[in-house]
Structure formats: C-alpha cells, structure tokens
C-alpha cells in the first residue's frame, strides 16, 4: 500500500457497469466488463492495495445516454437506484455520480435532482455526444440550470468521437493503433472540444455558479490555455462577446489526474489553474490504481498541495 503521509485519498473518475446496461449493450461491448461489473470484490481489494480510501463511482460510457429519451429516463432511474443502494451499503468507501438520460434534457435535470436530494449523489457524469450533438447545445441547458441550482458539478467524460471526424482525421491509423480513437487522441479531441464549446456557449454567463469537471488533466486544455486565451481575448467582432477564456475556464472548471500521471502535465496545470482546481482520480478499471497513488506519493509538491489534490479540493467541491 502506498503511504501518503496520512492524507486521505479520494478518487473521482472510477467507473462501474450496471448489469441492465450490460445486457442492453450486448456481449463484447466493453473488454473491461468483468472488472467494471465488480463492486465489492476485486474493486475494494485493489483500492486497499493502492491506499484509495473512497471511490466516487460513475457509470462507464454510454451510461443511460444511448437508449432513446423515454427508455433512457426509466433506465437511468433504475441504474441510479441500484447504485444508490450499493453506495448506502458502504458509505465509508463509496460516493456516486448519477447517470443521466441526456436524450431527454428535462428528464435528465429531474433525475439529477432526484439523485442529489433522495440519494445524496455528488453530481452527474455525461459522456461525449448525445445524438451526435455536443452538450453545450442549448437544448441541454436544463441540465446545467439544475446542476447550478443543486450546487453540484457535471463531470464531462469522453466517449468515442463523431464518426465523420474519425473518418476524416483518424481512420488511416485505426486498424494498427485502435487506441487512437480513444485515450491516445480521439477522446481528447472530443472532450477538449466540448470544454472549449462550453466556454464559448455562454452557459457560464447564464449559470454563473455552474462547475464542470474534466478528466485526463483537463484534456490538454491547461497546456493550451495561454494561446487560446491570447487569441480569443483579442477577438472583437461587432455584436459578439469578447470571451476571457482563461478567466472563465479557471473559474468554472476543475480537472482531474485520471489516466495522466505526468509530473510535467500536473505542474503545467497547477501553474495555469492553481492547485485548488486539481482533483485526484485514476480511471479504474481502465487504469490501475497503484501507478496513480505511487505517482502522487512522489510528485514534486509540498504536503499542502498534495493534500488538496488527493482529497482536500474534492471534499469542498462535492461536500464530502
Ligand atoms: Mn474514464
């Protein structure tokens, strides 16, 4: 077990798979399905081995997003109720993000409220595109409106990019390097684009207390922040708002370390956003726990900042 100087360790992008969703997706949809479906066997064993005190659980993609509006609402309710029952059985080890039936935005807002008020969920996770549409589209704003009212964040998590993007940008290399569709690049393109679009959409002007979480060290955006901000802030097209990109990003976004255990990326993110904006996570079971906790034990930071990242910041954000 990794020793973290007695600092509590909370990991917040840790996935599972509900049996009903698994059945709907069919065999072979996810090579990690056995580990994802495990809740209290190998999951807890590996948390203990790596020194992870609490996992905030979220359903793996597509959650309740891919089954139609009407069926999605019913499915999300059942999935979230089952997750709530499990978390209630081990409240000292687990907390939860809701899955939302995003094809019904109003239904998603209601489900979020139900999960937060009835089950004590900490927010919700959304995955990539819904009906091939980005989540910044105004049709989805009821979700953000409700998240602000409930004072909970929305975790914007990757899913495979739009098939046309794959076709034009990536397909030549997909056969030999299928990870290019996912963590090697496709997820990053898709989710960084979502983050950028959310800032431009004006959703934070409408809902000034809204908070978004991005995984994978901010999907590259902290590294690009100066350049994006430099050119965006200089835009002065008549009738179009000037967007102080960095100011909006740093005020409304938190980022996590999921699957990106790089000292250089972490230090860059701290320099751009501040240590208060960074949350530890692993991305279990896609990523093993110990490389994450071993890395945090040796990052070139003082105990104060390590404490913030390992659990201090998330306890404030999620009121844990
Ligand atoms: Mn993940």
């Amino acid at each position: 077990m990794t020793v973290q100087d007695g600092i509590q360790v909370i990991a917040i992008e840790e996935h599972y798979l509900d049996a009903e969703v698994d059945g709907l997706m069919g065999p072979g949809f996810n090579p990690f399905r056995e580990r994802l479906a495990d809740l209290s066997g190998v999951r807890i064993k590996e948390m203990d081995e790596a020194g992870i005190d609490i996992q905030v659980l979220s359903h793996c993609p597509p959650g309740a997003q891919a089954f139609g509006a009407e069926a999605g609402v019913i499915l999300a309710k059942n999935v979230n109720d089952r997750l709530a029952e499990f978390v209630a059985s081990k409240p000292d080890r687990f907390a939860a993000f809701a899955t939302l039936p995003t094809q019904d935005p109003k239904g998603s807002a209601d489900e979020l409220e139900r999960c937060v008020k009835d089950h004590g969920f900490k927010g919700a996770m959304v995955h990539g595109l819904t009906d091939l549409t980005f989540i910044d589209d105004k049709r989805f704003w009821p979700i953000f409106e409700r998240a602000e009212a409930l004072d909970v964040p929305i975790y914007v998590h990757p899913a495979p990019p739009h098939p046309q993007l794959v076709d034009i940008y990536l397909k030549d290399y997909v056969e030999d390097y299928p990870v290019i569709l996912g963590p090697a690049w496709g997820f990053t393109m898709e989710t960084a684009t979502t983050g950028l679009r959310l800032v431009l959409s004006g959703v934070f002007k409408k809902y000034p207390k809204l908070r978004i979480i991005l995984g994978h060290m901010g999907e590259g955006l902290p590294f690009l922040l100066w350049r994006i901000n430099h050119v965006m802030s200089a835009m002065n097209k008549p009738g179009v708002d000037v967007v102080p990109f960095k100011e909006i990003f740093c005020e409304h976004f938190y980022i996590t370390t999921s699957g990106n255990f790089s000292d250089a990326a972490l230090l860059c993110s701290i320099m751009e956003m501040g240590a208060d904006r960074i949350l530890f996570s692993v991305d279990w079971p896609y990523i093993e726990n110990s490389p994450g906790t071993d890395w945090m034990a040796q990052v070139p930071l003082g105990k104060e900042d390590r404490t913030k990242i390992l659990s201090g910041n998330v306890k404030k954000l999620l009121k844990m």
Side-chain angles (χ1 to χ4, degrees), residues 13-15 58 60-61 125 127 155 157-158 187 215-216 258 282-284 286:
E13 191 194 304
E14 317 312 315
H15 302 295
S58 49
C60 63
M125 178 176 281
H127 300 286
Y155 201 127
H157 184 268
F187 286 170
H216 316 107
S258 57
V282 173
D283 207 358
W284 196 90
Y286 301 106

Side-chain angles (χ1 to χ4, degrees), residues 229 244-252:
N229 185 67
F245 191 90
K246 181 173 173 175
E247 187 185 312
I248 295 174
F249 188 77
C250 291
E251 185 180 340
H252 295 279

Side-chain angles (χ1 to χ4, degrees), residues 68-79:
E70 212 171 314
V73 169
I74 298 164
L75 178 66
K77 186 174 186 304
N78 291 332
V79 170

Side-chain angles (χ1 to χ4, degrees), residues 33-192:
R33 60 192 289 269
E34 247 178 73
R35 282 164 69 76
L36 281 163
D38 171 279
L39 283 175
S40 47
V42 71
R43 178 183 303 268
I44 292 179
K45 178 175 170 281
E46 294 188 10
M47 286 166 69
D48 290 342
E49 282 167 3
I52 291 176
D53 295 299
I54 296 176
Q55 280 190 343
V56 182
L57 295 170
S58 49
H59 202 286
C60 63
Q65 291 184 207
F67 306 97
E70 212 171 314
V73 169
I74 298 164
L75 178 66
K77 186 174 186 304
N78 291 332
V79 170
N80 288 325
D81 283 351
R82 283 188 286 270
L83 179 59
E85 197 180 334
F86 172 69
V87 168
S89 75
K90 292 187 170 53
D92 54 330
R93 301 308 301 275
F94 296 102
F97 286 129
T99 189
L100 299 181
T102 53
Q103 288 173 310
D104 179 349
K106 166 74 164 59
S108 295
D110 292 343
E111 178 61 10
L112 175 62
E113 180 162 340
R114 194 185 72 85
C115 287
V116 172
K117 288 190 170 164
D118 295 356
H119 293 322
F121 280 20
K122 303 301 181 187
M125 178 176 281
V126 296
H127 300 286
L129 308 174
T130 296
D131 296 330
L132 299 182
T133 304
F134 282 98
I135 198 87
D136 63 282
D137 189 282
K138 281 208 167 66
R139 86 174 80 154
F140 299 112
W141 284 22
I143 299 170
F144 300 123
E145 179 186 26
R146 200 71 60 92
E148 187 199 43
L150 293 164
D151 194 26
V152 295
I154 301 292
Y155 201 127
V156 175
H157 184 268
H162 195 293
Q164 286 178 19
L165 181 149
V166 172
D167 201 39
I168 298 166
Y169 279 63
L170 304 173
K171 78 162 181 266
D172 300 337
Y173 295 96
V174 168
E175 197 182 328
D176 286 351
Y177 305 99
V179 291
I180 200 175
L181 293 178
W185 194 238
F187 286 170
T188 311
M189 289 176 84
E190 199 271 335
T191 317

Side-chain angles (χ1 to χ4, degrees), residues 22 109 314:
D22 188 29
V314 80

